[in-house]
Amino acid sequence: MRKIVMLPVLVLLVALAASAQRPQKDEGWSELLPPGEGREMVMTSCTGCHNLKSTVHARKSRADWTKSVNDMIQRGAQIFPEEIEPITAYLSKTFGPDLPQPLNVNTASREELEKLPNLKTEMAARLLAARDKAGPFKNSEELRRALAMEPGDFEKIRYLLKYRN
Amino acid sequence: MRELVQKYLEQGISRREFVERLIQSGFSLLAANSVAAAMSPAFAQEAKEGDKPYTRLFRGTGGELLAEQLRAAGVEYLFLANGTGVAPLCDALVDRPEMKIIMAIHEGQSVAMADGYAKASGKTGFAMFSRVGVPNASSNMYNAMKDRSSLVVACDHIDTLAAGREGHEDLEDTLEPVKQFTKWRWNVDATTRIPEWTMKAFKLTSTPPGGPTFLMFPRDILVARDVEAEIFLPGTFQIPMSVRADTATIEKMARALIEAKSPLLRAGPEVWRSKAIPQIVALAELLGIPVTSGEEREGFRLSCNFPTNHPLFLGGFSERMRYPRNVDLLLNMGDRLPDGGAGPTKVARSVKIIDVRIEAPDIGNNYPLFLGVAADVKQVAADLVEAIKSLVTAERLKEIRGDRIEQTRQFVSRLRQARQQAIKASWDNVPLTWERLSSDINEILERDAYIVPEFGTEGPKALNCFTFAEGEKTLIGRTLGSALGWGVGAAVGVKIAQPDKQVVCMQGDGGFLFGQAMALWTMARYQIPVITVIYNNRSYNETRERSFADGGRQAQTNKDMLSYLGDPDVDFVKLAGAFGVAGEQVTRPDQIKPAMQRAARAAQDGRPYLIDALVGRTGRGAELAWYPKLSVAEMRRRKV
């Protein structure tokens, strides 16, 4: 049981540690990449030339993600042959056409927040109160603490929240 | 007597004549010789037989003095645009048929032609036009400045005595607008000094680091007649800049390279300009150092600074390269160090940076350096090879190289495999993909063709399909300045410089329409057999993609305010036809090779040819054909 509780914490710590090492150019967009097979390949290959802002905002079908990945390879993205499929699969699964756009927690209204899957009404109210009191949130960890959420619960919403436009 | 002495001191008469006149006025031979010896100017010497002359006297019009000095500077082609003020030079060229005029019908294109000629010949290009054409020329002067091209640009000017009154086609200060685009600029306001200032313009632009120089000739100065002046002879104003670093500096560099665990070499335009590729290759191979060139996706700019088929060549530089990892030393040979755009600088502070450049003022501007070296990259690379060999044994060198060369080769090979795999996924697409079009072009072109591209961010997709190396393709462009409207004119200059090589001008439709279609007229008039291929996606793809990436109102509303280039769809074949250049449109993949074969045959026959190839748009908003509509016809209250 303890191991199960610890796992999300570990994931979060690893993510935070990685975040600390990233150059400023990333601007925190990689925080919106949920765990999964292919994630690290995306981190390694796609950030050579650009940050992940456009990636985490894109909503595409599998066919369109295939086109995009191939297009990036032609432009010079450093992707190996065996990585094409996992990267395409990860992006298609993670950023499919039906996924809502990430919501800016620092400007979102109560109505917009309440539409988010897995964010209860009471939680939305708590978020707004914390935002009014302490000003804009800088990153996911600051928000999680403000909401006093367990890392495991927070994982359910964190990839749909952004902190800047 | 006083006048005689003064004349002698000013070297108006020879020593022999001076002595003879002294004898005529009563001096003995001994006394006259003694006086002459005492009066000898410190630097005056009788010319001895066999001495190389530095100058020769010429008497003629201002235009002729200019023509004579241009000839002495090695100018064979003059890229001129029409203007009354150019007439005195044209008058002089009537009797100098060995100096050939290439007429451009737009000043900007005359500069692009001269620039392409300079880049492909290694000589200095010369362009001249009317003073009111200076603003037209400025974008390509800016490009030439960014590229540090060897280029002398000239214009006429209002008569000396009428200047400064904002008269006909006059500005208060015509030189001021070109200040940022030129290394040196001058108003030539004395006919006797035309050769001197022209010589200086050629000297300054051809002395590394280069950059265009600019001369302005008032009309009365050029039309003046019967003026005598010295013409500076060839070889008297060229400055070799094979500057070497001192031994201690070379040794410090050599030791740092030997000790580096994961070095990276960045080869820049100074390598190409200095013809230093063999020396850079030798250095990289000696220690097995992977090599990058240029920036990220824009890895292909201006020139090839390292053979793209070499096992140590990685492609464009990126701050987050997958290989090599943990770079601890960056040896920058003749490139600007990468800026970080709006963000932080791109190389971590922990990396030792050695910056070698002939452009000394630029060294160390953006990064703290382990070592800054103001010297010629060719000399430094050669000296480093010798120093490294003298510091360590062959066995130790082998140990240092380890398997870096093989690792780099394997890394690049895997990337190329992925590229091939990705190309196949859209091989038969209609509209064409950039990579299919380029791959097929590559198959038809001669192995050592010259490629003159002017692409935006789609460019690498095309250029990755070619090999740039000695005996393979030669890359000229895109300019570092990126001001569109350069490539077609530049291809004209490249073909003039390299008439025995295939020359292909590669343009996006957006770039082509930036005021350079008129260079086709020059191709047709002078039978300059350039093959022009337009990658036509009816869009400024780069600007749309970048604008939409910012997620602003255009992206949110799917409204492409300024990048869609259809409606009307430009008929480039008809456009070329209007200038006397034949061409055809290509829409399907199976049409590419036959069209290129026809283009190559036209070129063999001495005719330029244009292919309008319809390629797909890519990226965000690619599907949009929307633009803000406006009809002035419908706004009218009267149908006039």
Side-chain angles (χ1 to χ4, degrees):
Chain A
M1 186 65 186
R2 191 173 171 186
K3 278 183 186 170
I4 294 170
V5 173
M6 286 302 289
L7 189 61
V9 177
L10 194 62
V11 169
L12 187 67
L13 286 175
V14 168
L16 285 172
S19 164
Q21 288 171 0
R22 283 192 299 271
Q24 285 177 44
K25 193 180 173 184
D26 178 58
E27 294 176 342
W29 295 112
S30 57
E31 283 196 56
L32 273 69
L33 285 186
E37 189 190 349
R39 182 188 186 281
E40 286 314 305
M41 292 179 195
V42 168
M43 283 296 298
T44 304
S45 303
C46 303
T47 59
C49 305
H50 59 80
N51 68 29
L52 295 169
K53 179 181 177 182
S54 56
T55 311
V56 302
H57 283 85
R59 302 292 180 261
K60 295 181 190 179
S61 65
R62 162 99 197 186
D64 284 341
W65 274 118
T66 302
K67 271 190 207 168
S68 296
V69 172
N70 285 338
D71 189 59
M72 286 297 147
I73 291 170
Q74 296 307 331
R75 289 170 191 268
Q78 299 193 331
I79 296 175
F80 297 143
E82 65 276 16
E83 294 171 336
I84 297 176
E85 171 52 27
I87 287 175
T88 309
Y90 173 82
L91 293 170
S92 309
K93 189 178 158 194
T94 312
F95 301 111
D98 300 327
L99 186 73
Q101 280 293 329
L103 195 60
N104 186 338
V105 290
N106 290 319
T107 57
S109 66
R110 178 185 292 271
E111 292 72 29
E112 286 172 322
L113 287 167
E114 285 176 354
K115 280 183 196 163
L116 274 180
N118 305 321
L119 191 76
K120 294 171 186 163
T121 310
E122 167 263 335
M123 198 68 75
R126 208 187 308 164
L127 188 152
L128 289 169
R131 191 174 79 190
D132 289 345
K133 187 179 172 189
F137 305 105
K138 288 194 185 70
N139 53 43
S140 58
E141 180 56 13
E142 208 175 285
L143 175 65
R144 189 189 69 77
R145 284 187 187 154
L147 297 178
M149 288 177 79
E150 288 298 319
D153 294 335
F154 187 65
E155 285 295 296
K156 292 173 188 168
I157 58 167
R158 66 174 287 199
Y159 301 109
L160 285 171
L161 300 177
K162 61 181 180 180
Y163 303 87
R164 65 183 69 203
N165 284 324
Chain B
M1 179 61 69
R2 191 173 173 176
E3 282 174 11
L4 180 65
V5 169
Q6 190 174 354
K7 209 167 180 183
Y8 176 56
L9 288 174
E10 289 172 355
Q11 298 178 56
I13 55 172
S14 67
R15 187 175 187 278
R16 180 189 296 272
E17 199 177 346
F18 181 60
V19 170
E20 280 171 2
R21 289 203 196 171
L22 286 177
I23 293 168
Q24 284 165 13
S25 53
F27 282 75
S28 68
L29 177 62
L30 191 65
N33 271 328
S34 174
V35 170
M39 304 291 287
S40 283
F43 296 100
Q45 295 217 6
E46 291 281 325
K48 292 185 200 117
E49 201 173 323
D51 274 1
K52 187 185 161 196
Y54 296 104
T55 61
R56 66 180 167 81
L57 287 175
F58 180 85
R59 181 175 287 277
T61 66
E64 287 172 329
L65 285 169
L66 173 59
E68 284 299 311
Q69 188 56 62
L70 291 176
R71 180 156 56 185
V75 172
E76 194 180 348
Y77 297 96
L78 298 92
F79 299 91
L80 306 181
N82 187 261
T84 315
V86 191
L89 176 60
C90 291
D91 287 339
L93 295 176
V94 169
D95 300 316
R96 291 169 178 78
E98 70 284 7
M99 299 177 77
K100 301 169 192 76
I101 293 176
I102 303 295
M103 179 172 160
I105 54 176
H106 182 275
E107 293 85 355
Q109 288 305 294
S110 71
V111 174
M113 289 171 196
D115 187 34
Y117 174 79
K119 286 182 163 99
S121 67
K123 299 176 184 171
T124 297
F126 177 78
M128 187 169 178
F129 36 76
S130 163
R131 58 190 180 272
V132 284
V134 173
N136 279 342
S138 60
S139 70
N140 275 323
M141 285 170 64
Y142 153 80
N143 281 331
M145 187 63 194
K146 293 287 276 189
D147 291 352
R148 305 292 187 262
S149 291
S150 184
L151 202 62
V152 175
V153 182
C155 74
D156 74 328
H157 196 233
I158 198 165
D159 283 0
T160 316
L161 296 178
R165 295 173 178 161
E166 205 168 343
H168 178 63
E169 298 178 357
D170 186 24
L171 279 174
E172 191 66 24
D173 185 354
T174 302
L175 293 181
E176 172 64 22
V178 301
K179 194 173 177 185
Q180 293 288 321
F181 313 143
T182 50
K183 189 177 179 185
W184 178 79
R185 61 221 75 80
W186 200 258
N187 179 28
V188 181
D189 58 2
T191 306
T192 51
R193 298 184 69 184
I194 287 175
E196 177 192 338
W197 282 320
T198 303
M199 174 272 289
K200 187 171 178 182
F202 274 83
K203 186 209 75 168
L204 286 170
T205 193
S206 61
T207 304
T213 53
F214 189 84
L215 293 170
M216 190 165 74
F217 295 96
R219 199 193 67 88
D220 56 323
I221 296 299
L222 277 186
V223 299
R225 294 171 187 276
D226 202 27
V227 179
E228 188 175 73
E230 277 185 309
I231 304 296
F232 295 81
L233 295 181
T236 60
F237 50 93
Q238 279 84 28
I239 303 176
M241 288 287 280
S242 48
V243 181
R244 298 175 82 153
D246 63 82
T247 312
T249 301
I250 290 290
E251 190 178 324
K252 189 175 177 186
M253 287 172 76
R255 288 190 186 282
L257 283 165
I258 289 166
E259 287 161 14
K261 297 281 179 268
S262 181
L264 179 66
L265 195 157
R266 182 179 158 95
E270 286 186 15
V271 172
W272 167 64
R273 286 192 207 106
S274 185
K275 297 183 174 59
I277 291 178
Q279 289 74 17
I280 299 291
V281 168
L283 174 62
E285 287 178 349
L286 186 69
L287 293 173
I289 310 175
V291 180
T292 69
S293 183
E295 298 291 310
E296 295 176 357
R297 288 178 294 178
E298 298 177 345
F300 296 102
R301 273 295 178 103
L302 187 57
S303 62
C304 166
N305 304 306
F306 200 82
T308 61
N309 57 355
H310 193 282
L312 281 168
F313 186 63
L314 291 168
F317 175 89
S318 162
E319 65 187 291
R320 306 194 74 190
M321 298 174 75
R322 296 187 72 170
Y323 176 86
R325 305 307 301 264
N326 304 317
V327 170
D328 58 350
L329 186 144
L330 176 66
L331 174 59
N332 184 57
M333 297 293 268
D335 203 353
R336 280 178 184 279
L337 282 169
D339 69 52
T345 49
K346 288 187 174 176
V347 183
R349 289 283 185 256
S350 56
V351 177
K352 275 183 183 173
I353 299 176
I354 301 176
D355 195 3
V356 184
R357 303 201 59 188
I358 197 76
E359 189 156 0
D362 207 44
I363 298 173
N365 278 350
N366 301 327
Y367 290 86
L369 301 175
F370 170 71
L371 198 55
V373 183
D376 174 27
V377 288
K378 186 175 185 174
Q379 292 289 345
V380 170
D383 288 346
L384 272 175
V385 167
E386 292 309 310
I388 290 165
K389 282 181 180 170
S390 72
L391 286 169
V392 289
T393 62
E395 193 60 29
R396 174 79 181 113
L397 272 175
K398 199 175 165 188
E399 205 177 293
I400 292 167
R401 273 193 303 271
D403 58 355
R404 281 179 194 160
I405 296 177
E406 182 54 21
Q407 273 189 40
T408 312
R409 193 193 62 75
Q410 282 184 18
F411 172 73
V412 174
S413 165
R414 290 174 76 194
L415 296 181
R416 285 191 180 142
Q417 283 169 29
R419 202 175 295 146
Q420 286 308 313
Q421 203 170 311
I423 283 181
K424 281 180 192 156
S426 53
W427 188 246
D428 293 320
N429 275 15
V430 177
L432 310 168
T433 62
W434 286 60
E435 46 276 24
R436 171 67 192 267
L437 177 58
S438 307
S439 296
D440 282 8
I441 289 173
N442 186 42
E443 282 198 29
I444 301 301
L445 285 182
E446 290 189 358
R447 190 168 182 168
D448 61 351
Y450 274 60
I451 307 287
V452 187
E454 191 174 24
F455 293 137
T457 46
E458 301 283 282
K461 296 199 287 189
L463 299 177
N464 273 326
C465 299
F466 302 102
T467 299
F468 299 107
E470 181 69 28
E472 302 280 345
K473 305 277 183 299
T474 298
L475 179 70
I476 305 284
R478 179 188 191 185
T479 64
L480 294 170
S482 305
L484 288 171
W486 168 87
V488 188
V492 166
V494 170
K495 184 66 183 177
I496 291 169
Q498 299 291 342
D500 299 329
K501 303 283 186 189
Q502 262 184 344
V503 174
V504 184
C505 168
M506 293 183 170
Q507 279 283 333
D509 54 321
F512 185 84
L513 292 173
F514 261 92
Q516 51 182 342
M518 51 282 275
L520 295 175
W521 181 89
T522 303
M523 284 185 199
R525 170 178 264 205
Y526 300 103
Q527 299 178 347
I528 301 170
V530 170
I531 299 169
T532 301
V533 182
I534 298 182
Y535 288 57
N536 180 4
N537 54 15
R538 291 172 181 151
S539 172
Y540 299 109
N541 202 83
E542 175 180 341
T543 53
R544 190 206 60 251
E545 161 67 13
R546 289 194 165 178
S547 306
F548 275 53
D550 287 338
R553 287 289 292 154
Q554 290 186 88
Q556 290 163 18
T557 56
N558 267 336
K559 289 185 172 173
D560 179 356
M561 300 297 281
L562 203 57
S563 296
Y564 178 61
L565 203 46
D567 194 14
D569 297 342
V570 178
D571 188 332
F572 289 100
V573 177
K574 267 191 185 170
L575 183 65
F579 286 110
V581 174
E584 63 184 287
Q585 190 175 66
V586 168
T587 58
R588 297 194 319 269
D590 62 318
Q591 296 172 327
I592 303 170
K593 286 184 186 173
M596 272 305 293
Q597 281 159 345
R598 282 187 285 276
R601 273 199 298 275
Q604 280 168 10
D605 294 343
R607 291 178 288 115
Y609 200 83
L610 180 142
I611 292 174
D612 173 17
L614 297 190
V615 295
R617 292 191 283 270
T618 57
R620 284 149 285 216
E623 70 290 353
L624 298 174
W626 186 95
Y627 67 94
K629 295 275 193 318
L630 173 75
S631 166
V632 174
E634 287 177 10
M635 286 161 52
R636 296 173 302 169
R637 291 179 187 162
R638 288 178 61 232
K639 293 196 173 178
V640 289

